[in-house]
Amino acid sequence: GLRREGNETGVYGTADGAQALGHIASAQVNAIYHLQGFGSLLQNEAVAERMREVALQFSKRDGAIVLTGSLELPETVRRLAAMVSLPGPETGDYKLLLEHILRDLSARMRVTSMLTADDEQRLLNNLRGLTLLEAEKVLTKAIVEDGRLTASDIQHVVDAKKQVVAREGVLEYYPVEESMSEIADLTGLKDWLAKRRAIITEPDRAAEFGLTFPKGVLLVGVPGCGKSLCAKAIATEWHLPLLKLDPGALYNKYIGESEKNFRRAMQVAERVSPVILWIDELEKAFASSDGGDDGGVSQRIFGTFLSWMQDRKGDVFIVATANDVTKLPAEFLRKGRFDEIFFVDLPDPESREAIFRIHLVKRGKLPQRFDLVQLVSVTEQFSGAEIEQIIVSGLYTAFSQKAELTTEVLLAEARTTRPLAATMAERVNWMREWSRERTVRAN
């Protein structure tokens, strides 16, 4: 219940929330009352009304009620309150915490730190978003397990962030396995990303040089050419967590809940930053932003998203993909929303050969056993996804025939496949024309 600071004994009969508020009202003591974790109790209408009455008393006498923790104040109470969001720990705070933990544990056990300067910077960057208490638990556990602190222990921090994301339930933590070496071609995009990688690994030097954290990229182009794969590869190359935003999961039938879910998703992304935020098929999320038949929900979320993109405080790099730019609101395509807009075209012959090699090796097949020149020639206008599907279908055919996968099997599959670029040639040609003056080529 209520107790005076420094006194171990609580006031009798104040363990209940409503009784504690009743005591504050009747005692008429000018004081600062700190109610920790009181937010959930305010969901009770009677307690919320009692809080409003007590708060009104403090407008006539000295003192205040301070609520801390995760709070969702009822409207009647919110009008009387000043909301303050405390900033999270800075990199320097985590560095001091790490030094304290190493010093404390070294006094009790043999501890070896094997981090290089770059490894330590990566560790500190990944700790951002965790509270000092959460960071202390993660670091202590990592060190105590084997008496060492190594670069591999950064994974403990990543796992802790994964739990934070899962707890909120508005974003999906996506495991990353692909690397840039598994993406054929896209040299323009790869070069652009490589130039910005140092900002992630050396943030302090980048800040001194006058650089800020990059905003993100919008990838448009032909479906199946590796746009979504790029999001996973960027996260791997930059050693950052990958969060996926599923717009469909944000929408709620209750008024105001969809917007609240979206704001919470953005707060989670900022909290666990630096992070890659992947929004797949962006046009599906905001195709109704003209306020059509959804009561204007998409339009309001779209407006909130644009404001957040402009003013976000966390280091969140957005990788958005779109297959149909005609459905994207014009505001997304304005210069400055994203650092760059890339157009991902169909792979050329050299890239198609690389795609065949990548997917054959992935499935335990030796590329040199196949006539790649012939396979490349019959897959003109095929996307990377369509080439992969040819290999998958060929494997099913060979397996059912109890035979090995051969060039002939793959050629037969390719000749029975009509690529999207052929069935929707007008649309593909229009996209190429549209992108010519508006985007940068990723290939």
Side-chain angles (χ1 to χ4, degrees):
L2 285 173
R3 61 181 176 84
R4 186 181 291 271
E5 182 66 24
N7 192 336
E8 294 299 321
T9 306
V11 177
Y12 178 75
T14 60
D16 176 78
Q19 290 177 332
L21 291 172
H23 175 81
I24 294 172
S26 60
Q28 294 290 310
V29 175
N30 294 338
I32 302 294
Y33 292 91
H34 177 204
L35 306 182
Q36 189 174 10
F38 207 80
S40 60
L41 300 179
L42 293 176
Q43 302 311 307
N44 182 300
E45 289 186 13
V47 176
E49 178 57 26
R50 193 66 171 138
M51 174 66 78
R52 188 188 70 82
E53 295 170 359
V54 175
L56 283 171
Q57 286 188 12
F58 282 101
S59 64
K60 301 173 184 175
R61 62 186 175 97
D62 291 340
I65 296 176
V66 179
L67 304 174
T68 60
S70 179
L71 299 170
E72 191 64 47
L73 297 180
E75 184 59 33
T76 54
V77 178
R78 193 184 304 126
R79 289 198 293 264
L80 302 171
M83 301 291 290
V84 179
S85 295
L86 298 179
E90 298 289 339
T91 305
D93 299 319
Y94 294 119
K95 186 174 178 62
L96 289 173
L97 175 66
L98 177 59
E99 291 171 357
H100 168 77
I101 293 172
L102 288 171
R103 187 170 58 247
D104 184 52
L105 290 178
S106 295
R108 291 179 284 157
M109 60 182 286
R110 183 184 176 86
V111 174
T112 305
S113 177
M114 303 175 67
L115 296 177
T116 64
D118 287 344
D119 290 337
E120 182 177 306
Q121 188 62 55
R122 273 208 301 135
L123 174 65
L124 297 175
N125 286 343
N126 277 279
L127 284 170
R128 286 169 56 186
L130 299 180
T131 65
L132 289 177
L133 183 60
E134 289 170 334
E136 183 178 8
K137 287 181 179 179
V138 172
L139 291 173
T140 302
K141 180 176 182 291
I143 297 170
V144 168
E145 278 183 349
D146 56 7
R148 300 184 304 161
L149 184 62
T150 66
S152 62
D153 288 322
I154 296 175
Q155 187 59 41
H156 287 280
V157 180
V158 174
D159 292 340
K161 284 191 170 183
K162 184 176 180 179
Q163 292 174 13
V164 171
V165 173
R167 193 162 61 232
E168 293 294 336
V170 287
L171 291 172
E172 181 183 356
Y173 191 100
Y174 225 81
V176 290
E177 297 169 356
E178 289 83 359
S179 67
M180 283 297 179
S181 62
E182 296 180 26
I183 301 178
D185 194 17
L186 300 187
T187 52
L189 175 61
K190 289 178 180 178
D191 290 344
W192 189 91
L193 292 167
K195 290 176 183 176
R196 284 150 183 81
R197 190 177 186 276
I199 298 177
I200 313 301
T201 55
E202 302 177 80
D204 294 336
R205 190 173 75 86
E208 290 174 7
F209 200 73
L211 292 171
T212 57
F213 194 85
K215 296 177 181 178
V217 292
L218 173 60
L219 306 176
V220 301
V222 184
C225 288
K227 297 187 296 296
S228 299
L229 184 63
C230 283
K232 305 173 191 175
I234 293 168
T236 302
E237 293 293 311
W238 285 5
H239 302 291
L240 292 179
L242 176 64
L243 304 184
K244 185 178 180 182
L245 173 66
D246 179 8
L250 299 177
Y251 287 88
N252 192 292
K253 64 180 179 180
Y254 297 108
I255 294 175
E257 285 300 310
S258 299
E259 295 91 321
K260 190 185 298 181
N261 286 343
F262 181 79
R263 285 192 294 270
R264 200 162 90 249
M266 297 305 99
Q267 288 168 0
V268 171
E270 286 188 344
R271 183 188 169 189
V272 299
S273 64
V275 71
I276 306 293
L277 179 62
W278 172 27
I279 309 176
D280 203 19
E281 298 188 358
L282 187 66
E283 71 273 21
K284 292 184 178 179
F286 301 109
S288 302
S289 62
D290 57 358
D293 56 1
D294 65 353
V297 174
S298 295
Q299 190 175 29
R300 292 194 295 274
I301 291 181
F302 174 62
T304 304
F305 186 44
L306 288 182
S307 299
W308 176 79
M309 286 178 72
Q310 200 71 33
D311 305 325
R312 64 182 181 270
K313 297 175 177 64
D315 292 341
V316 182
F317 184 82
I318 300 172
V319 179
T321 68
N323 291 326
D324 190 350
V325 291
T326 61
K327 293 182 179 179
L328 278 177
E331 292 90 335
F332 269 135
L333 305 175
R334 180 176 71 77
K335 204 69 175 175
R337 296 295 184 198
F338 294 93
D339 292 316
E340 197 59 82
I341 301 175
F342 286 95
F343 179 73
V344 183
D345 206 346
L346 293 168
D348 59 20
E350 186 180 341
S351 300
R352 292 201 298 277
E353 181 179 338
I355 292 169
F356 270 110
R357 289 182 182 279
I358 289 169
H359 288 295
L360 286 170
V361 169
K362 241 183 183 180
R363 290 159 179 83
K365 307 300 177 184
L366 295 174
Q368 56 266 35
R369 293 186 177 179
F370 297 83
D371 187 347
L372 296 181
V373 174
Q374 197 175 358
L375 289 170
V376 167
S377 68
V378 299
T379 53
E380 188 176 355
Q381 290 194 312
F382 278 60
S383 68
E386 289 164 340
I387 291 173
E388 181 183 12
Q389 194 54 46
I390 286 171
I391 295 173
V392 172
S393 299
L395 284 169
Y396 275 112
T397 300
F399 183 75
S400 65
Q401 296 174 351
K402 294 184 172 59
E404 284 295 320
L405 181 66
T406 63
T407 300
E408 287 67 31
V409 172
L410 294 178
L411 288 172
E413 294 292 342
R415 289 179 181 128
T416 58
T417 302
R418 289 280 290 167
L420 183 69
T423 57
M424 302 187 69
E426 295 83 3
R427 178 183 164 189
V428 172
N429 290 333
W430 180 89
M431 288 177 66
R432 284 172 173 159
E433 254 336 286
W434 177 90
S435 69
R436 199 181 304 278
E437 300 297 331
R438 297 176 176 87
T439 66
V440 174
R441 285 187 62 84
N443 301 65

